[in-house]
Every structure is written in C-alpha cells, then in structure tokens.
Amino acid sequence: DERGHRQGGSRRKTKEATGGKLDHFDWCHRNFISSRALLRAHEVRLQLEEICGRPKPGLSYDVSSTCGDDIDKFLKCACSGLFLQAACLNRTSAEVNSERKSNLAVLSSRGRYITKNGGREVSIHPTSSMFGRQPAAKCVVFTEMLTTKKDYIRGVTQIREEWLAEVVPDFYTSSSKK
C-alpha cells in the first residue's frame, strides 16, 4: 500500500539489502515482479553461496566460478538437475503443424510434449513464456507439472535432447544410439 512505500517499506528494505547501491523497486514495478520475492531470492542465494563455500562440514565449492557467457554450460547444468523432468515435442504434432498451415493446426500443436520419464502427454502452461513459441522447442526440462483436465508443465527451459545422454548417460541413451 502507499503508506508502506512512503515510510520506506519494500523500497527501504531493497536499498538496505543492496547496501543502498541499487534500487530495484521501480524496475520490479515496471516488470510486474514482486520486489519482496526478488529480495528473498537474493537472500537465499547469499545463504547458499555461504553454505557451498564453507570448508568441511560444508560443500567446499568454489562459488566464485561461473559459466560466464557460455549459455550451453548453464543449460547443461539445468539439464543435469532436471533430467527426470524432461519432455520432447510430440513428433506427430510437429508434423501436423508443418504440413497444414491453418490456425487449427497451429492451435492443436501448441506445446504438446511427451515426458521422457513416464511417457505422459503434457502441454506447456499458457502462462509460460515458452507457450505458443513457433517453432516449438524440440526438447525441454521443467520444474513443475500441474494437472487439471490436461497435464501442464511450468518452469520450462529449452534444451538439446542429446544433452540428456551426455549429462546422465546411465539414465538416457541418445536417440541416435537406439
């Protein structure tokens, strides 16, 4: 509410958390992101960084290392963490879409995938930024499955199918090896 913002509220907490250097409140407001949730995510990241960097009994990871501009390294990391939640484009939907250019074909093929683990047909949730993307991603990993009349996936990230066999070879074999 306005009273909280006038007295400091979220804006003050955001400035305190960032040492007064950055004011994310206006950016969050413009981009429809909760500044409180962003602040909490930053706090969790700092906690994880501290825990992972601790010598024994911590994890002793070098938290200063980064993938830099190598986005493939980042996506492979996501792939290795979410390999049980991978899904690939339903081939019949892709073929229908490429053969028929009508609006019906586009709507019917939008985001239909088959999970690699379990073989369930799922669709990308309409609130996802990946929903309706043309051309559709061939393979994705997801963080959440929501079941209503249909099964939807959220928290979707595009990957390459061959990465599954690369990062978890004991679980997946490449489609080219089959």
Side-chain angles (χ1 to χ4, degrees):
D1 67 348
E2 285 296 314
R3 192 172 137 246
H5 293 303
R6 271 189 269 125
Q7 293 176 348
S10 298
R11 184 183 300 249
R12 192 184 90 240
K13 285 187 175 192
T14 304
K15 281 189 176 184
E16 287 173 1
T18 59
K21 296 176 187 172
L22 300 173
D23 183 3
H24 289 81
F25 182 78
D26 293 330
W27 181 87
C28 289
H29 184 72
R30 282 192 314 271
N31 292 286
F32 306 101
I33 295 174
S34 168
S35 60
R36 186 176 297 152
L38 185 64
L39 179 62
R40 179 69 182 132
H42 180 70
E43 291 170 353
V44 169
R45 183 190 185 286
L46 291 176
Q47 289 173 1
L48 287 172
E49 188 176 281
E50 193 268 325
I51 291 168
C52 290
R54 275 188 210 153
K56 293 183 181 177
L59 298 175
S60 300
Y61 288 144
D62 178 14
V63 293
S64 65
S65 67
T66 179
C67 59
D69 292 335
D70 187 0
I71 194 70
D72 284 354
K73 189 183 281 188
F74 172 78
L75 293 173
K76 284 181 183 179
C77 180
C79 184
S80 68
L82 297 169
F83 71 93
L84 289 174
Q85 293 158 266
C88 291
L89 190 63
N90 186 346
R91 301 293 182 218
T92 57
S93 294
E95 292 163 5
V96 167
N97 190 26
S98 65
E99 290 172 9
R100 295 174 49 207
K101 297 294 184 185
S102 70
N103 287 340
L104 180 61
V106 172
L107 290 174
S108 68
S109 67
R110 187 180 293 173
R112 283 194 168 161
Y113 292 82
I114 302 294
T115 60
K116 297 290 269 180
N117 189 14
R120 292 173 73 170
E121 184 174 78
V122 295
S123 297
I124 294 179
H125 196 272
T127 60
S128 173
S129 62
M130 296 282 291
F131 179 76
R133 177 186 265 185
Q134 293 297 332
K138 291 180 183 173
C139 196
V140 297
V141 290
F142 57 93
T143 59
E144 181 181 3
M145 184 181 292
L146 176 69
T147 302
T148 58
K149 290 181 182 179
K150 290 172 56 175
D151 291 326
Y152 291 102
I153 53 177
R154 297 197 306 195
V156 180
T157 301
Q158 182 176 350
I159 62 164
R160 292 188 189 135
E161 189 172 4
E162 60 268 15
W163 289 347
L164 293 168
E166 183 181 327
V167 298
V168 279
D170 295 336
F171 196 80
Y172 290 107
T173 56
S174 176
S175 58
S176 62
K177 294 179 183 176
K178 289 183 180 176

